[in-house]
Amino acid sequence: MLLKVSEELNLGASQDEVWKLLRNTPRLAALLPGVESVTPLDEPGAEAYQAKASDKIGPFKVSLNLEIRVTEAREPVSLKAGIKGSDSIGLNRITGSLHITLVPASPSAQLRFEADIEILGKLATLGAAPIRRRVTDKFAEFARNIQAQFAPAVSPNLRVQSATDVRPGLRAQSKKDRR
C-alpha cells in the first residue's frame, strides 16, 4: 500500500531558525509522535540514523526498527531522506522517502513536507482508509509540535478568570479589590 502525505506549515520563525530545528536530530525526534529512540549510525561519509517507533493502528500494536538516511541537505532550503524498516519478526515493513523544503516567506518561513511511504505486510491488510487516517493524524500532531516550537511564549503571570469570578453587571474584581 502506497501513501502520499503532504503538509504545508507557516511557522513563526525565520528560515534559519527552522533549519536549525531540522538539523537538531534529538530535538526533532522528540517532536515525532511514537518515536521512542534515535541513534546515529557510525558510517563514514553517510548521515544515517537507527530509530524505533511504536503505534497502535486498529487491532495491531506495531513497533518498527527504522533506518533513516539523509540523501541530500541543502542549507537552509531542502532536506531529503530515505526510510526503511520492519518489525522484529518481519511481519510489517515500511519503505519510503521524505522531502522537506523551507521557503522564506514574510514574516516567517513556510515548511513544505512531502512523504511517499509504502507499507507492506500484516499492517497493510487493514486497508488504506484506517492507515491513511492514522498517518494523517500523526502528521497533524507532528505539525502542531513543530508549530509549538516557534509559538510566542505565554506569560507565566497570566491570570484566567472563571465565570464564578464575575457577577452579572459588575466588572471583574480581584480578591484584593473586593476588600
Short mmCIF file of all heavy atoms in Angstrom, two decimals, residues 39-43 46-50 67-70:
data_model
loop_
_atom_site.label_atom_id
_atom_site.label_comp_id
_atom_site.label_asym_id
_atom_site.label_seq_id
_atom_site.Cartn_x
_atom_site.Cartn_y
_atom_site.Cartn_z
N THR A 39 19.26 6.93 17.17
CA THR A 39 20.68 6.79 17.40
C THR A 39 21.42 6.97 16.08
O THR A 39 21.06 6.33 15.09
CB THR A 39 21.00 5.38 17.95
OG1 THR A 39 20.16 5.13 19.07
CG2 THR A 39 22.45 5.26 18.35
N PRO A 40 22.45 7.83 16.07
CA PRO A 40 23.24 7.96 14.83
C PRO A 40 23.97 6.66 14.52
O PRO A 40 24.47 5.98 15.43
CB PRO A 40 24.23 9.07 15.14
CG PRO A 40 23.84 9.66 16.44
CD PRO A 40 22.92 8.71 17.12
N LEU A 41 24.03 6.31 13.24
CA LEU A 41 24.80 5.15 12.80
C LEU A 41 26.22 5.62 12.48
O LEU A 41 26.40 6.68 11.89
CB LEU A 41 24.17 4.50 11.57
CG LEU A 41 22.79 3.89 11.78
CD1 LEU A 41 22.22 3.39 10.46
CD2 LEU A 41 22.86 2.75 12.78
N ASP A 42 27.18 4.83 12.88
CA ASP A 42 28.58 5.19 12.66
C ASP A 42 29.02 4.66 11.29
O ASP A 42 29.56 3.57 11.18
CB ASP A 42 29.45 4.60 13.78
CG ASP A 42 30.87 5.08 13.71
OD1 ASP A 42 31.15 6.10 13.06
OD2 ASP A 42 31.75 4.41 14.31
N GLU A 43 28.71 5.45 10.25
CA GLU A 43 29.07 5.09 8.89
C GLU A 43 29.80 6.27 8.26
O GLU A 43 29.19 7.31 8.02
CB GLU A 43 27.84 4.74 8.07
CG GLU A 43 27.13 3.50 8.56
CD GLU A 43 25.93 3.14 7.70
OE1 GLU A 43 25.78 3.68 6.59
OE2 GLU A 43 25.13 2.31 8.16
N ALA A 46 28.39 9.06 5.52
CA ALA A 46 26.94 8.97 5.43
C ALA A 46 26.30 9.56 6.68
O ALA A 46 26.84 9.43 7.77
CB ALA A 46 26.49 7.53 5.26
N GLU A 47 25.17 10.19 6.50
CA GLU A 47 24.38 10.64 7.65
C GLU A 47 23.18 9.70 7.75
O GLU A 47 22.27 9.75 6.93
CB GLU A 47 23.92 12.08 7.47
CG GLU A 47 23.17 12.60 8.67
CD GLU A 47 22.71 14.04 8.54
OE1 GLU A 47 23.07 14.72 7.57
OE2 GLU A 47 21.96 14.47 9.42
N ALA A 48 23.23 8.82 8.73
CA ALA A 48 22.18 7.82 8.88
C ALA A 48 21.87 7.60 10.35
O ALA A 48 22.72 7.83 11.22
CB ALA A 48 22.64 6.50 8.24
N TYR A 49 20.63 7.18 10.61
CA TYR A 49 20.15 7.00 11.97
C TYR A 49 19.36 5.71 12.08
O TYR A 49 18.67 5.30 11.14
CB TYR A 49 19.25 8.17 12.38
CG TYR A 49 19.92 9.50 12.27
CD1 TYR A 49 19.86 10.24 11.09
CD2 TYR A 49 20.64 10.02 13.34
CE1 TYR A 49 20.50 11.46 10.98
CE2 TYR A 49 21.29 11.24 13.24
CZ TYR A 49 21.21 11.96 12.06
OH TYR A 49 21.85 13.16 11.95
N GLN A 50 19.42 5.11 13.25
CA GLN A 50 18.57 3.97 13.61
C GLN A 50 17.50 4.53 14.55
O GLN A 50 17.82 5.26 15.49
CB GLN A 50 19.40 2.91 14.33
CG GLN A 50 18.65 1.65 14.69
CD GLN A 50 18.34 0.80 13.47
OE1 GLN A 50 19.14 0.72 12.56
NE2 GLN A 50 17.18 0.20 13.44
N GLU A 67 15.57 2.63 9.66
CA GLU A 67 16.83 3.24 9.27
C GLU A 67 16.48 4.45 8.41
O GLU A 67 15.74 4.33 7.44
CB GLU A 67 17.68 2.25 8.47
CG GLU A 67 19.03 2.82 8.10
CD GLU A 67 19.88 1.81 7.35
OE1 GLU A 67 20.25 0.78 7.96
OE2 GLU A 67 20.15 2.05 6.16
N ILE A 68 17.00 5.60 8.80
CA ILE A 68 16.76 6.85 8.07
C ILE A 68 18.10 7.32 7.54
O ILE A 68 19.06 7.46 8.30
CB ILE A 68 16.13 7.93 8.97
CG1 ILE A 68 14.78 7.44 9.52
CG2 ILE A 68 15.93 9.22 8.21
CD1 ILE A 68 14.82 7.02 10.93
N ARG A 69 18.17 7.57 6.24
CA ARG A 69 19.39 8.05 5.60
C ARG A 69 19.13 9.40 4.95
O ARG A 69 18.26 9.50 4.08
CB ARG A 69 19.87 7.09 4.52
CG ARG A 69 20.37 5.80 5.07
CD ARG A 69 21.07 4.97 4.00
NE ARG A 69 21.69 3.83 4.65
CZ ARG A 69 22.87 3.85 5.23
NH1 ARG A 69 23.59 4.93 5.20
NH2 ARG A 69 23.35 2.78 5.83
N VAL A 70 19.86 10.41 5.39
CA VAL A 70 19.76 11.72 4.75
C VAL A 70 20.48 11.61 3.41
O VAL A 70 21.66 11.27 3.36
CB VAL A 70 20.38 12.82 5.64
CG1 VAL A 70 20.38 14.15 4.92
CG2 VAL A 70 19.62 12.92 6.96
#
